[in-house]
Amino acid sequence: MKFRDVLVSREDRFSLGIEETSGRYYLSIPVSNGLVDYEEYYEIDPLAFERYRTEPKAALPFVERCRRRECDDLLIQKPGKNRGTPL
């Protein structure tokens, strides 16, 4: 998989982009498991992608739900046994 960020919000700690192999849109958040920092990628639909791209603050409720692990069914890559916690 090749993830390409289109928007990075350093202030709110999330990114939006396109997974180039499949063309799926995503929102990602940084996580850490104590050994490594990495990103979790959540699939979003094209309408959400465009809305969040033009109005990044509109993504914050979804970002918070991802951080609380309420959207795990949308993870593009499922986490391993040593899943990180959001940063």
Side-chain angles (χ1 to χ4, degrees):
M1 291 187 180
K2 187 172 182 182
F3 296 96
R4 180 175 52 89
D5 290 345
V6 172
L7 176 138
V8 176
S9 175
R10 295 188 195 290
E11 176 185 351
D12 296 313
R13 303 185 62 83
F14 75 91
S15 299
L16 294 174
I18 302 168
E19 196 288 306
E20 293 184 336
T21 305
S22 65
R24 294 186 287 181
Y25 297 97
Y26 67 82
L27 180 145
S28 68
I29 60 170
V31 295
S32 178
N33 68 6
L35 297 174
V36 65
D37 295 340
Y38 64 97
E39 292 184 76
E40 289 185 339
Y41 297 91
Y42 295 83
E43 185 171 359
I44 57 175
D45 63 45
L47 291 175
F49 175 81
E50 282 304 317
R51 180 171 179 224
Y52 299 161
R53 187 181 63 77
T54 59
E55 191 181 342
K57 294 291 186 191
L60 295 182
F62 182 69
V63 169
E64 289 304 317
R65 289 179 51 224
C66 293
R67 288 181 179 141
R68 291 190 305 263
R69 298 183 175 174
E70 295 173 359
C71 300
D72 285 359
D73 58 315
L74 299 175
L75 281 165
I76 293 175
Q77 295 176 312
K78 303 305 179 196
K81 291 180 184 178
N82 192 14
R83 185 174 184 183
T85 55
L87 297 173

